[in-house]
Amino acid sequence: MPIDLAALLRSVELRREDETTDPGPLSATWEDPAAFRRALFAFAAERTGTLRSRAGTAYDVYADAVLRHAASDRIAFVEVPSRGAPGRLRFSELHARASALAAAWTPLGVNPGAAIAIVLPPGVAGVVALAAALYAGACVSWITPKGDLALAAAMDALAPAHVVLDPKAPAKVGEKLAKKALPIAAPPRAPAVGPHAYAPKEPCLGALSPLRAPFGTATLVPAETVVSSALSDAMLVHRLAPGERLSAPGFHHEQAFLPMVLSAWLAGAAYVSVPLATFQSTPAVLDAEGVNVLGLSASATAALRASPRAWPGSLKALFRDVGEPLDWMETRAAVAGNNLGKLPLSNLLIDTAAGGTVLFSARRPQGINAKALPSPGVPWDLFDPATKKPTTGDAGLFVRRGDKPDKDGYFLLARVASEYLWGSTLTPRRSARVFPGEALSLAVTELPFCEGAAVVPLPGAAARGDTRFALCVFIGARQSEPSFTDAIDKLVRERFGPDYTPDAVELFPLYGRGKGKKVDPEWCASNYRAGRLHARAANPGVAALVELRRRLTSPPPRGETGG
């Protein structure tokens, strides 16, 4: 079947909420990925200008994302700060600053293949460094500053040779890496060589995606995947035109930021970065930026419902993260209250480790649903979740072809007519992201008052389909103190970052069942959910037994004879 991308767009651009898609054009892209890439490059060139990259041969990421737009007056990036005027960066300015920075980095050892980690909040300085790394042919990752221990774990996983830090407030990446910090700006200077063209399998991005298991897994993403995915997202998912603007306040940085920026740049469009807290307090901050495609995270949706307003006419489409719990009533109220009901709404699941969108959906007015389709051009299969073998049914474990179901099978889909429904994840997660329950429990046992810990996943509200995570901490014969929970919160934030704080922390004056301080998670979960841990904690007889165990297994405190 020939690849007809115009027909594909028509098939997923629906006029009514109850309309269904034509599966033919999308299925054709899964059946012949090479033909899809060729058609995609030709389709993008017609709409955005000639591409220097050649599908299956060489990928000049910088030239296609930045250089070919430098002669225009278009904006490439907008940084909306928490206070003050937005910082706007044109493609011409981005090219001048990034090429000079790449030239300054070359004598410092930044050559093709070098691993660079940008450790900065989203902003103009970071995107200039991103573009410079692509110019140099580096494998670049971008993580936001975190607690010291979380940042150290990220550096260990990514193993960068160089880092880009804020010279005024450098993140604590360790003395060895700090010595290899690259300058964040450079005087105007013409590079001695042109931008690097990556080989198809040459790593272009380093991803520390929260969607990948086990927690903290680093992935090297080849240039062919990066460019093909970003082009597909630009042309077929976000459907951006040169000069338009994309924004997604509240979307997870490590999961989605780089793919969205690159998809905007490849379209000759701009990405508008706004802190979630700023959007929550003042949604009108985006009015002046003329955003055309807006991502609605759950937090942003709640902000819209709390502060309804009239949106500018530039807005043409909305999307949400299908991995986040869907509060149908709140989303409908936010859409109706802000007069957005006529705009098409779609679902996406973006993963930097996959180069971009993994799942998307048809656009529908009032499209508040959990529908999902595998992204164009990437073959896939459904597997039985229990046997991890191909299923003949209409529901199963979604796995991209070439991946392994027992290692890479995370997401569940169920067929409904010509589309699929998002069925959440195979194991409990938070917004489809891995929750590091085992590692978090082990870390908490380092605290002097902790005799064991386990994380228990709990079903949230049925209408939302979310999962809550309770951290059960066993403190033996000690009396609970407020300082205990403060210490736990501090440790979790420093070790894992604020995204992984438990929904609840429960302190039990008990000992858990297990080996040493390692509590059996299944025993803990069954007893916690049934209320038995709370009942035992309130039982005076159990308290006496706990005290007896303490006396038998622990040396007596000073002043006690033990007799």
Side-chain angles (χ1 to χ4, degrees):
M1 183 181 295
I3 307 296
D4 186 342
L5 298 186
L8 191 159
L9 284 177
R10 290 193 297 271
S11 72
V12 293
E13 192 75 46
L14 306 181
R15 297 181 180 180
R16 300 192 317 275
E17 189 177 0
D18 60 348
E19 197 175 353
T20 58
T21 64
D22 173 5
L26 182 58
S27 297
T29 72
W30 300 329
E31 294 167 5
D32 194 343
F36 165 74
R37 282 194 294 272
R38 292 192 297 270
L40 175 64
F41 275 60
F43 189 81
E46 290 176 3
R47 287 156 179 77
T48 65
T50 303
L51 295 162
R52 189 176 293 184
S53 298
R54 294 291 176 265
T57 304
Y59 295 87
D60 196 329
V61 185
Y62 181 88
D64 292 336
V66 179
L67 184 56
R68 69 190 177 113
H69 308 300
S72 72
D73 196 41
R74 293 194 291 267
I75 299 290
F77 188 81
V78 180
E79 176 185 358
V80 179
S82 56
R83 61 183 64 182
R88 298 183 180 90
L89 190 68
R90 299 184 185 279
F91 278 104
S92 56
E93 297 166 326
L94 176 60
H95 172 55
R97 291 174 60 176
S99 58
L101 195 57
W105 286 356
T106 300
L108 302 176
V110 177
N111 298 306
I116 296 176
I118 300 170
V119 189
L120 295 168
V124 169
V127 297
V128 171
L130 167 65
L134 297 174
Y135 190 107
C139 179
V140 60
S141 55
W142 189 339
I143 60 175
T144 52
K146 308 175 186 300
D148 295 352
L149 296 173
L151 189 55
M155 293 296 101
D156 286 344
L158 293 167
H162 306 275
V163 290
V164 180
L165 310 174
D166 182 349
K168 296 180 180 179
K172 296 179 181 179
V173 295
E175 184 178 351
K176 185 177 179 181
L177 268 179
K179 291 179 179 178
K180 296 185 177 181
L182 298 169
I184 201 169
R189 176 182 177 185
V193 296
H196 178 72
Y198 293 82
K201 302 302 180 185
E202 188 176 0
C204 177
L205 297 183
L208 202 60
S209 171
L211 298 182
R212 298 296 173 112
F215 178 77
T217 298
T219 305
L220 299 180
V221 192
E224 182 172 64
T225 300
V226 170
V227 175
S228 299
S229 297
L231 268 183
S232 177
D233 288 356
M235 298 293 104
L236 307 176
V237 177
H238 300 307
R239 296 161 223 182
L240 294 166
E244 291 190 330
R245 300 190 182 187
L246 168 70
S247 187
F251 274 59
H252 193 284
H253 179 88
E254 280 82 7
Q255 180 183 333
F257 183 76
L258 284 178
M260 288 195 289
V261 170
L262 291 177
S263 67
W265 287 358
L266 284 169
Y271 186 80
V272 179
S273 175
V274 55
L276 175 61
T278 302
F279 182 83
Q280 288 174 318
S281 61
T282 317
V285 295
L286 290 181
D287 287 5
E289 305 310 326
V291 170
N292 305 102
V293 180
L294 178 63
L296 292 178
S297 63
S299 299
T301 301
L304 290 184
R305 183 178 183 184
S307 303
R309 48 188 305 284
W311 280 83
S314 62
L315 197 58
K316 70 175 188 179
L318 307 168
F319 64 91
R320 57 174 296 273
D321 183 349
V322 74
E324 288 195 319
L326 174 60
D327 189 323
W328 191 90
M329 295 298 291
E330 179 166 277
T331 304
R332 182 170 285 278
V335 168
N338 288 268
N339 198 27
L340 300 174
K342 294 182 179 180
L343 292 179
L345 173 64
S346 61
N347 300 318
L348 305 182
L349 185 69
I350 305 172
D351 183 10
T352 300
T357 297
V358 176
L359 300 170
F360 80 122
S361 75
R363 283 179 168 179
R364 292 175 168 87
Q366 298 280 356
I368 305 168
N369 55 56
K371 292 184 178 179
L373 290 165
S375 58
V378 183
W380 56 280
D381 296 293
L382 286 182
F383 288 81
D384 184 285
T387 65
K388 305 296 174 61
K389 294 182 179 180
T391 180
T392 56
D394 287 336
L397 196 60
F398 165 78
V399 182
R400 287 183 159 193
R401 202 162 294 167
D403 289 346
K404 298 178 180 179
D406 56 345
K407 177 178 177 291
D408 306 299
Y410 314 127
F411 313 125
L412 298 167
L413 296 180
R415 185 190 294 275
V416 177
S418 59
E419 298 175 86
Y420 288 83
L421 279 178
W422 165 258
S424 192
T425 55
L426 184 62
T427 56
R429 291 187 171 196
R430 176 182 283 174
S431 298
R433 296 187 280 273
V434 176
F435 192 86
E438 184 176 354
L440 193 152
S441 302
L442 185 63
V444 171
T445 61
E446 298 172 10
L447 296 171
F449 57 79
C450 180
E451 300 293 343
V455 169
V456 178
L458 301 167
R464 288 168 52 90
D466 58 342
T467 300
R468 305 297 179 91
F469 292 89
L471 173 62
C472 298
V473 181
F474 298 89
I475 59 175
R478 297 175 179 85
Q479 292 295 317
S480 176
E481 299 178 12
S483 62
F484 290 178
T485 53
D486 293 342
I488 292 168
D489 183 70
K490 180 180 178 182
L491 182 144
V492 171
R493 289 177 180 275
E494 288 185 348
R495 185 72 60 90
F496 301 95
D499 293 327
Y500 299 101
T501 55
D503 296 288
V505 176
E506 298 264 23
L507 300 175
F508 294 102
L510 304 167
Y511 290 94
R513 177 184 294 176
K515 186 175 182 180
K517 290 189 175 183
K518 188 174 183 180
V519 175
D520 180 347
E522 293 185 4
W523 170 87
C524 184
S526 63
N527 282 274
Y528 179 74
R529 291 170 184 152
R532 288 191 288 268
L533 292 182
H534 290 95
R536 289 172 185 170
N539 188 318
V542 173
L545 292 174
V546 170
E547 173 61 22
L548 176 62
R549 175 171 171 174
R550 181 193 71 78
R551 289 174 175 268
L552 292 173
T553 59
S554 304
R558 289 183 180 180
E560 286 191 20
T561 64

